Amino acid sequence: MQIRGKVISISGKVAEVCIIKENTACGSCSACPKKMGMHDVIKVAATERVQVGQEVILCDTRNWLFRNKIVFSVLAFVSGIIVAEFMSMVISFGSRHKEIDVLAGGLAMIIMVIIVWLKRPRYLFRMELREGGRRKL
């Protein structure tokens, strides 16, 4: 999803961008900023070459890990169980407990959720400069 905007102010490494409302033909697009409930002014991370009054394109910053966090949580749980089973085959614990498998799966899932939480993006959008008719990174 891409949204056009103009830079209003820059303070440090944060820029405030005013979203440019575009007229759509049908008005029923699910990616429409009006339907998403977005405010007119949004804060984004500023790039080095951006200036006040410049038109920019705002792109989504969610990475593939954050978009698929439910799938990765399930995979982490299953991989934790597999690692616990493998360790019980290699190391003889004397007795077999199924609760250890669930505990290892839950621990792996908690570690994955913490990693996703630490890697979450600080701002919802990233800024791409727009010069003429082409985009620059």
Side-chain angles (χ1 to χ4, degrees):
M1 177 176 68
Q2 294 180 347
I3 300 172
R4 287 183 29 213
K6 276 201 178 213
V7 178
I8 296 174
S9 68
I10 302 172
S11 61
K13 295 189 177 197
V14 178
E16 289 187 355
V17 177
C18 178
I19 296 173
I20 298 172
K21 303 282 185 188
E22 295 181 4
N23 295 331
T24 57
C26 63
S28 64
C29 179
S30 63
C32 182
K34 293 177 186 174
K35 292 196 176 199
M36 290 177 55
M38 296 172 60
H39 301 289
D40 290 330
V41 177
I42 190 168
K43 291 184 179 184
V44 297
T47 58
E48 297 174 5
R49 298 170 285 166
V50 71
Q51 298 173 354
V52 175
Q54 189 172 12
E55 190 171 320
V56 294
I57 296 175
L58 302 176
C59 298
D60 197 12
T61 59
R62 294 187 308 165
N63 55 13
W64 59 272
L65 183 67
F66 191 72
R67 280 182 285 190
N68 301 316
K69 62 184 170 187
I70 294 173
V71 172
F72 285 113
S73 297
V74 171
L75 287 175
F77 184 78
V78 170
S79 65
I81 291 175
I82 291 171
V83 167
E85 286 287 329
F86 178 74
M87 287 184 66
S88 69
M89 286 175 41
V90 172
I91 303 169
S92 176
F93 293 123
S95 64
R96 174 79 176 104
H97 297 287
K98 291 184 180 181
E99 295 85 18
I100 292 177
D101 293 340
V102 175
L103 179 67
L107 187 63
M109 186 173 66
I110 288 172
I111 290 170
M112 198 285 306
V113 167
I114 290 171
I115 290 172
V116 168
W117 182 72
L118 291 174
K119 293 286 186 180
R120 75 184 185 279
R122 185 172 177 186
Y123 299 102
L124 295 176
F125 295 101
R126 67 177 156 75
M127 184 185 310
E128 291 183 1
L129 298 179
R130 183 176 178 184
E131 291 183 9
R134 62 183 191 147
R135 292 186 308 184
K136 275 180 81 175
L137 291 177

